[in-house]
Amino acid sequence: MPIKLISSVKLSPLSLPRARLSVALAIAALSAACAVTPPATTVSPVTTAAPATLPGTTASAPAVVPPPRLVDSGIAPSNNDNSEYANFAQWKTVSSFIDEMVTKNGFTRSELEAVFNKTRFVESAIQLMKPGPPGKPKNWGVYRARFVEPVRINAGVKFWNTYADALARAEAQYGVPAEIIVGILGVETVFGRNTGNFRVMDAITTLAFDYPNTPTREARMAFFRKELENTLLFARESNIDPFSLLGSYAGAIGWPQFMPSSIRQYAVDFDGDGKIDLRKSPVDAIGSVAHYLQVHGWKRGEPIVFPATVSTDTSSENRWQAFIGQGLEAKFSLDELTAAGVVPTSSLASSAAGSKLFGLVDLQNGTAPTEHWLGTDNFFAITKYNRSFFYAMSVIDLGRAIRVARGG
């Protein structure tokens, strides 16, 4: 939710405000004129490079530039956001996190304590993270119907028509077809309609330090602590108040629902306005989705997925089952799969195979027969966006439905 905005993620405001800079320069000049050596400081400041000293002159003291600070615009939580004051700054685990952020990233303890004093506990984020009731069978048909439906298809046609040039440019630059980009934005947020109203600082902090009691609790808290670090770094780099970021209950942001780490690593300024804004710029969202998929293994011009069947002949001993659940990557040859009883139902699979590798995809259908597909590297690139076969297939099917509805 890798993550679906914001001001630039590339530029970090390291200079002082103009008024304070003038004062600093005046003090430096006065110190040089009086040949007074500035006192030593116990903090290692960021300094500008000292210019070369000309013969017969006295070197000026370098201007001291403190580390950038987080913006505080006084944003308060909504009265109906189901959050509550938690005094996070007093939690031992949060205090340790603050220590790490000060040492590793140059924040000051006072500014982070101020931030966590304003951060709220969101019980609904915890409830939404809890796994569903056990024993309920997965149902691909039901899942698909939530996303491949008239509202998303009609909105997708309008979106594609409006941003056809940007989609074509993204396809040319990154090799990702327009219908896949459109499919992801449609599944994630219905093209910007549902981007989430949780304050990202609140949701991610809650999950980072009080994740539900599940077998993966420690790993998930470590994940969200990393996302919390990236949230604070992103806000500082972008010169924005971290509490201005709104997103999903898991902290995903903007049209493509990028997590903060994904924004910092993969988001691009595709509209060329000098900043990355995944909340308000559909063009930045288009380019960022395409860039994300390219980095995660998308191969230009190659197929995505082929339908298949599996042999139920007892003589085959159902050897194909050994290819189920083998990770999110294409790593088996077509010969290996067919020898185990996996049969492509499209001649395109055989003709496109060559030296390509595939993964066996199973889409469980409740009490109905399971669908099987052969996924290529491009299919598994989509699963890096969301680690789910259901998700990847719904993106593919929605994108295709939108393309057909446009007459493409």
Side-chain angles (χ1 to χ4, degrees), residues 19-195:
R20 291 176 61 195
L21 180 58
S22 298
V23 173
L25 291 174
I27 292 172
L30 180 59
S31 297
C34 298
V36 175
T37 302
T41 176
T42 57
V43 179
S44 299
V46 178
T47 60
T48 58
T53 304
L54 297 175
T57 63
T58 303
S60 299
V64 178
V65 181
R69 299 292 298 271
L70 290 168
V71 172
D72 181 358
S73 55
I75 297 174
S78 168
N79 291 329
N80 58 356
D81 67 353
N82 193 33
S83 65
E84 58 184 283
Y85 179 66
N87 201 16
F88 274 119
Q90 299 300 313
W91 291 27
K92 288 183 179 180
T93 49
V94 176
S95 182
S96 296
F97 176 82
I98 291 175
D99 289 339
E100 293 172 8
M101 293 292 286
V102 169
T103 302
K104 179 180 177 182
N105 298 306
F107 289 92
T108 65
R109 170 165 278 278
S110 60
E111 69 176 325
L112 291 181
E113 286 177 344
V115 167
F116 284 110
N117 274 325
K118 289 176 59 178
T119 304
R120 311 272 289 212
F121 184 89
V122 187
E123 176 65 28
S124 56
I126 294 177
Q127 296 303 321
L128 288 165
M129 274 293 175
K130 290 182 177 180
K136 188 175 182 179
K138 296 180 179 180
N139 193 314
W140 160 237
V142 172
Y143 184 96
R144 183 185 186 279
R146 290 169 50 198
F147 298 104
V148 187
E149 45 82 31
V151 171
R152 280 180 166 83
I153 294 172
N154 292 335
V157 169
K158 182 178 179 180
F159 178 85
W160 196 331
N161 289 339
T162 302
Y163 297 103
D165 290 345
L167 288 163
R169 183 160 55 90
E171 183 167 349
Q173 183 169 338
Y174 297 111
V176 181
E179 68 184 75
I180 297 300
I181 302 171
V182 170
I184 284 179
L185 294 175
V187 168
E188 289 290 346
T189 60
V190 196
F191 307 99
R193 295 185 189 182
N194 305 323
T195 58

Side-chain angles (χ1 to χ4, degrees), residues 190-206:
V190 196
F191 307 99
R193 295 185 189 182
N194 305 323
T195 58
N197 292 312
F198 288 83
R199 291 200 314 181
V200 170
M201 269 299 302
D202 296 341
I204 288 183
T205 301
T206 299

Side-chain angles (χ1 to χ4, degrees), residues 2 176-177 180 184 289-300 303-304 328-330 375-389 391-392 395-396:
V176 181
I180 297 300
I184 284 179
V289 168
H291 181 235
Y292 183 99
L293 292 176
Q294 180 202 50
V295 170
H296 286 85
W298 190 276
K299 295 183 178 178
R300 182 189 300 269
I304 304 173
L328 301 178
E329 60 179 310
T376 68
D377 286 324
N378 286 347
F379 178 88
F380 289 103
I382 302 174
T383 67
K384 302 303 190 298
Y385 204 104
N386 183 308
R387 300 174 65 86
S388 162
F389 290 168
Y391 176 88
V395 164
I396 295 165

Side-chain angles (χ1 to χ4, degrees), residues 290-335:
H291 181 235
Y292 183 99
L293 292 176
Q294 180 202 50
V295 170
H296 286 85
W298 190 276
K299 295 183 178 178
R300 182 189 300 269
E302 296 198 1
I304 304 173
V305 69
F306 299 101
T309 61
V310 294
S311 173
T312 56
D313 184 353
T314 55
S315 63
S316 70
E317 300 177 350
N318 293 336
R319 293 191 303 275
W320 57 269
Q321 292 181 351
F323 294 90
I324 297 293
Q326 294 299 310
L328 301 178
E329 60 179 310
K331 55 186 179 182
F332 303 109
S333 70
L334 190 59
D335 287 344

Side-chain angles (χ1 to χ4, degrees), residues 7 15-16 72 138 143-144 212 253 283 288 302 304 325 336 364 374 391:
S7 54
S15 59
L16 286 167
D72 181 358
K138 296 180 179 180
Y143 184 96
R144 183 185 186 279
I253 297 167
V283 175
S288 297
E302 296 198 1
I304 304 173
E336 288 179 285
Q364 300 171 44
L374 294 176
Y391 176 88

